[in-house]
């Protein structure tokens, strides 16, 4: 095998490792956000429901405004 092929294979392996590390970090971040959100909903259900309603209402208004154009 040529050294160029070995170097390319090494770079590919490094790239795969970095992508895997980033994916793992993303998974851990999403898991921690999900856990924090679940705790918040459990501790403050009325605020969570009101927030969800508000976000949905604002999203509906924005989508309604955009589709009228």
């Amino acid at each position: 095998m040529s050294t160029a092929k070995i170097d390319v294979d090494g770079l590919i392996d490094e790239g795969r490792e970095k992508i895997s590390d980033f994916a793992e970090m993303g998974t851990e971040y999403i898991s921690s956000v999900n856990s924090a959100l679940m705790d918040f909903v459990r501790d403050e259900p009325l605020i969570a429901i009101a927030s969800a309603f508000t976000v949905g209402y604002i999203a509906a208004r924005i989508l309604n405004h955009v589709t009228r154009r």
Side-chain angles (χ1 to χ4, degrees), residues 2-48:
S2 69
T3 58
K5 173 119 172 86
I6 292 171
D7 289 343
V8 169
D9 288 342
L11 290 173
I12 290 172
D13 289 340
E14 286 179 25
R16 285 184 183 146
E17 288 177 18
K18 286 184 180 181
I19 289 172
S20 177
D21 291 344
F22 283 132
E24 186 176 330
M25 287 173 35
T27 301
E28 290 173 5
Y29 178 75
I30 295 295
S31 177
S32 69
V33 168
N34 186 35
S35 176
L37 185 60
M38 286 175 53
D39 290 341
F40 176 76
V41 170
R42 193 174 295 120
D43 294 340
E44 303 291 341
L46 292 177
I47 294 173

Side-chain angles (χ1 to χ4, degrees), residues 45-61:
L46 292 177
I47 294 173
I49 291 170
S51 299
F53 175 79
T54 303
V55 168
Y57 179 77
I58 291 171
R61 295 285 303 221

